[in-house]
Amino acid sequence: MIANNLSTPLALARTGARARGFSLVEMALVLLIVGLLAAVFLPATNVMLDNSRRKETRAKLEALEQAMVRFVLANRRLPCPADGDLPPGNANQGLELAAGGACTALALTNGVVPWRSLGVSQTDAMDAWNTMVSYRVWGGAGLPGPSLTLVDGMNMQALDPTNPGAVNTWLSTRGFRACNAAACAVGSAAELTSKVNGNGVAYFLISHGPNRFGGFSADGNYLGTSVGAPPGPLENINRSTVPLRFASPNDFYVDADFAENPAAYYDDLVLRPTILSVAMAAGLGPRRP
């Protein structure tokens, strides 16, 4: 009878040991289940988060486009880029950099959105991955055609819209091409936009995507090492710290679809309005004499 009495010290110890043993097994099962659920649902959650950030970034690029239109409306030209390599506290951080009416070499090499010149916050000029939005504009000295950042650089009001030849001639000497392949030769099938029939690109706004490769942080640090997936050859074309592309056939940047292929990874988001669309939105389009 005493051996079967659960109130004895020995019986209580055995019961406690069994309870502790079962609790450890249960904890192991819970951890296993949590791990399995994480393995199943975490990738989907990451995809949803990435899609949300891409949507947020696209909205920011469109808001910056409207800020650009307001600048052109007030100044009849596009702003020069700011130097993304400048740290906080620098008097020129966020301001367009120009000398003698032309954008400086540093602005054209390390170009980011000149958020102070546009009257927006630095946060507004950053993508959802906290990288400054790169800004490439047809501006500076030594261009094949007139700069869009010089005085009246965006003013087309002297052109007669009934004379498409004159309009196209004016436009064909200005602006970039946008391509979706590394080989972007003149006339190639890879061209998305050419400087023909008035559709040259006035400027590029480039978010460097989740891997942040080729952009600048808010602190002025160049992000030459990718976060996660390494850059493919198309991303390498869009990166900063490379002098602005002027001479044909290198007067282009890339606007391609998202690609996860490690050999050709591309996660940049690009906005590229044409010269004519910017001029029309600012009320500076062609008018009859």
Side-chain angles (χ1 to χ4, degrees), residues 21-244:
F22 283 126
S23 65
L24 290 175
V25 170
E26 289 171 351
M27 288 179 62
L29 288 174
V30 169
L31 291 174
L32 177 61
I33 293 172
V34 170
L36 291 174
L37 290 175
V40 172
F41 292 107
L42 188 58
T45 302
N46 288 338
V47 169
M48 291 177 61
L49 180 60
D50 187 58
N51 288 340
S52 175
R53 285 175 172 170
R54 293 180 75 84
K55 183 177 181 180
E56 177 187 346
T57 297
R58 181 62 64 183
K60 283 192 166 189
L61 294 180
E62 292 172 353
L64 288 172
E65 181 183 18
Q66 295 305 310
M68 290 285 187
V69 169
R70 293 193 295 270
F71 185 96
V72 174
L73 181 62
N75 298 281
R76 305 168 79 89
R77 65 176 180 85
L78 282 166
C80 286
D83 182 0
D85 197 36
L86 299 179
N90 187 288
N92 289 320
Q93 190 192 38
L95 292 177
E96 61 168 334
L97 295 182
C103 303
T104 66
L106 283 177
L108 296 177
T109 301
N110 302 332
V112 296
V113 170
W115 45 276
R116 288 171 60 191
S117 299
L118 292 179
V120 301
S121 69
Q122 185 179 28
T123 302
D124 293 331
M126 298 169 61
D127 64 18
W129 297 275
N130 296 321
T131 308
M132 299 301 300
V133 174
S134 292
Y135 171 48
R136 297 298 205 177
V137 64
W138 193 256
L143 292 170
S147 170
L148 301 176
T149 62
L150 297 178
V151 176
D152 274 333
M154 286 297 302
N155 188 6
M156 301 178 64
Q157 291 181 330
L159 300 176
D160 185 351
T162 63
N163 184 356
V167 173
N168 288 337
T169 298
W170 192 94
L171 292 169
S172 64
T173 60
R174 301 161 171 84
F176 297 105
R177 294 175 297 130
C179 301
N180 62 357
C184 190
V186 175
S188 71
E191 288 190 36
L192 297 178
T193 303
S194 64
K195 295 184 291 182
V196 179
N197 298 324
N199 61 353
V201 177
Y203 62 85
F204 281 85
L205 295 179
I206 302 172
S207 160
H208 296 280
N211 73 357
R212 307 182 71 191
F213 174 77
F216 284 94
S217 71
D219 296 329
N221 296 317
Y222 178 64
L223 305 170
T225 302
S226 62
V227 179
L234 300 186
E235 281 198 350
N236 201 47
I237 292 173
N238 284 353
R239 68 186 176 92
S240 295
T241 70
V242 174
L244 193 65

